[in-house]
Amino acid sequence: MSTLELVRGWLRDAHRIVALTGAGISAESGIPTFRGAGGLWREFRAEDLATPHAFARDPKLVWEWYDWRRGLVAAARPNAAHAALAARPDITLVTQNVDGLHTLAGSRGVLEVHGDLWTLRCVGCGAERSDRTVPLPELPPRCSVCGDLLRPGVVWFGESLPERTWSLASAAAEAADVFLVIGTSSLVHPAAGLAARAKAAANAKVVEVNLERSGAGADAFLEGRAGEVLPALLAGG
Ligand code: OAD
C-alpha cells in the first residue's frame, strides 16, 4: 500500500481532522516562503522588520516592507492546495499564513494564528480596521480615531498569539485523530508545537506534506508540492 493510500485510510476513519499550514502552501501562488531558497529571511532580517522594536525604531521602513508584501499577496490567487482544503469543511484549518488565501479559496473559520496582512491596528487606542488598499496612500498609516500610528495586524517575533484564536487551535489539535502539517518548516513556536500536542493528547496520526521532511515528527511523510499532493489526498473524502 502506498503512503498516500495509507493516509487516505486514516482520514476516512478519523472523526476530527486538523490541518496546520505554513508558507509552503502559498508558494505555488507565487508568494515567497520565509526560509529556504528565495525565502524572505534570506534577503531581509526579521529583527529589522518583524518585531515591535523594529516598528518603534522605524515604522516607515517596516510599513514599506509590509506594503510590498500586501502588493504581492493582492496579485496572488489561491492554488489547488487551498482549493482542496476549502472543499473539506470537516477539516479544522489552522494557518500561520497572513495572506488570507485560504479564506479567498472559500474556507470558513480559518484560525489565523499569526494574524493577517489586511488588518490595521492602532498602537494607541487599539482600534482595528480591515483595509485592502494597495499601496497604502500614506506610510506609516494613521488611526482615524486617535491619530496614532497604525501597525500591521500580524504577530511579530516576541509577541503573543491572538488569545482566542490560539486557544481554539490548541483545543482542536488536542482533539484531533489526524493532524496534517502542510508546507511549514515547523521551526516557529508555539505553532510548531501543535503536532506534538495532538500526538500527546489523543495519539493523533501526524501527516506531513512538504518538499522535505521538517521536524514535525510525522508518522507519515508525503513528499511533494502541496498543490499536487493535497488534491490527491483529500478528494472524495
Ligand atoms: P518557512 O518558510 O519557514 O517554511 C516553508 C516550508 O514550506 C518549508 O519546509 C518548505 O520545504 C515548504 N515548501 C515550500 N514550497 C512548498 C510546496 N510547494 N509544497 C509544500 N511545501 C512547500 O515558512 P513557515 O513554516 O510558514 O512568522 O514559517 C513559519 C513562520 O515563520 C511564519 O508564519 C512567519 C515566519 O517568520 C512570523 O512572521 C511570526
Side-chain angles (χ1 to χ4, degrees):
M1 195 196 291
S2 71
T3 309
L4 188 77
E5 285 166 30
L6 175 75
V7 176
R8 279 178 65 89
W10 291 349
L11 291 173
R12 260 195 310 275
D13 295 343
H15 297 291
R16 295 196 183 91
I17 308 168
V18 175
L20 170 70
T21 65
I25 199 168
S26 295
E28 290 159 78
S29 294
I31 300 176
T33 60
F34 292 94
R35 299 167 186 84
L40 293 171
W41 296 149
R42 290 278 175 100
E43 198 179 338
F44 303 100
R45 281 159 39 98
E47 51 273 44
D48 291 340
L49 297 166
T51 68
H53 183 65
F55 188 72
R57 191 174 52 213
D58 194 341
K60 188 158 193 289
L61 176 76
V62 169
W63 261 115
E64 281 166 356
W65 191 66
Y66 277 94
D67 206 38
W68 169 71
R69 285 181 61 201
R70 284 163 58 102
L72 286 181
V73 170
R77 306 297 310 157
N79 64 51
H82 298 107
L85 283 165
R88 291 288 302 262
D90 58 310
I91 300 179
T92 301
L93 189 48
V94 182
T95 189
Q96 298 165 87
N97 298 344
V98 294
D99 56 33
L101 289 184
H102 284 302
T103 303
L104 203 57
S107 287
R108 291 285 160 261
V110 183
L111 297 170
E112 295 179 308
V113 294
H114 288 170
D116 83 281
L117 277 175
W118 307 113
T119 299
L120 276 53
R121 187 169 72 244
C122 180
V123 298
C125 71
E128 284 191 353
R129 72 162 199 258
S130 180
D131 187 333
R132 300 186 78 95
T133 315
V134 172
L136 286 165
E138 180 202 6
L139 295 181
R142 297 248 162 212
C143 178
S144 57
V145 180
C146 74
D148 211 333
L149 288 176
L150 292 169
R151 58 162 284 175
V154 300
V155 175
W156 282 328
F157 289 100
E159 292 186 317
S160 307
L161 275 53
E163 208 171 310
R164 184 174 154 70
T165 305
W166 178 245
S167 83
L168 289 170
S170 304
E174 290 185 348
D177 309 304
V178 176
F179 191 92
L180 305 170
V181 184
I182 303 161
T184 174
S185 56
S186 303
L187 289 171
V188 176
H189 285 268
L194 286 174
R197 287 174 67 179
K199 183 92 211 138
N203 200 23
K205 297 265 197 286
V206 176
V207 177
E208 174 161 41
V209 177
N210 203 316
L211 305 179
E212 58 190 25
R213 252 185 200 276
S214 73
D219 299 297
F221 176 58
L222 296 169
E223 180 178 351
R225 295 170 181 225
E228 287 160 16
V229 176
L230 286 186
L233 182 65
L234 300 178

